[in-house]
Amino acid sequence: MVLDIEMPCSSGIELCKVLRSYPCWSRLPVLYLSVHTGADMRDEVFASGADELVPKPFVGKQLAEGILHHLGGPNRT
């Protein structure tokens, strides 16, 4: 799932926390795209259950590599 920290009508952080509260969604890769990439925000993003934070603006290849890594990379269990 690709989220942003700021989304219309909701917080991507809160959405991720709710998603992670259900065991059936615990292995779904969650990637954030955001302009908010400071240390405190990174800590909050990963504490919410995210797998990766990709800074905006991003290069398409960077996003594709992040998605592919979490979907089928050799370290995915």
Side-chain angles (χ1 to χ4, degrees):
M1 176 174 279
V2 179
L3 299 172
D4 196 341
I5 293 168
E6 295 179 22
M7 300 186 336
C9 302
S10 68
S11 158
I13 300 241
E14 292 305 315
L15 180 57
C16 188
K17 287 178 182 178
V18 170
L19 184 73
R20 292 300 192 215
S21 72
Y22 291 91
C24 62
W25 296 112
S26 65
R27 295 184 57 146
L28 177 71
V30 176
L31 284 77
Y32 281 95
L33 304 177
S34 186
V35 296
H36 306 288
T37 57
D40 290 342
M41 185 54 68
R42 288 187 67 81
D43 291 345
E44 188 173 357
V45 161
F46 290 112
S48 76
D51 296 292
E52 190 162 340
L53 174 61
V54 178
K56 286 182 183 177
F58 59 88
V59 177
K61 182 178 179 184
Q62 178 186 13
L63 178 59
E65 287 173 354
I67 291 170
L68 291 174
H69 169 77
H70 290 288
L71 288 178
N75 296 326
R76 184 79 177 144
T77 56

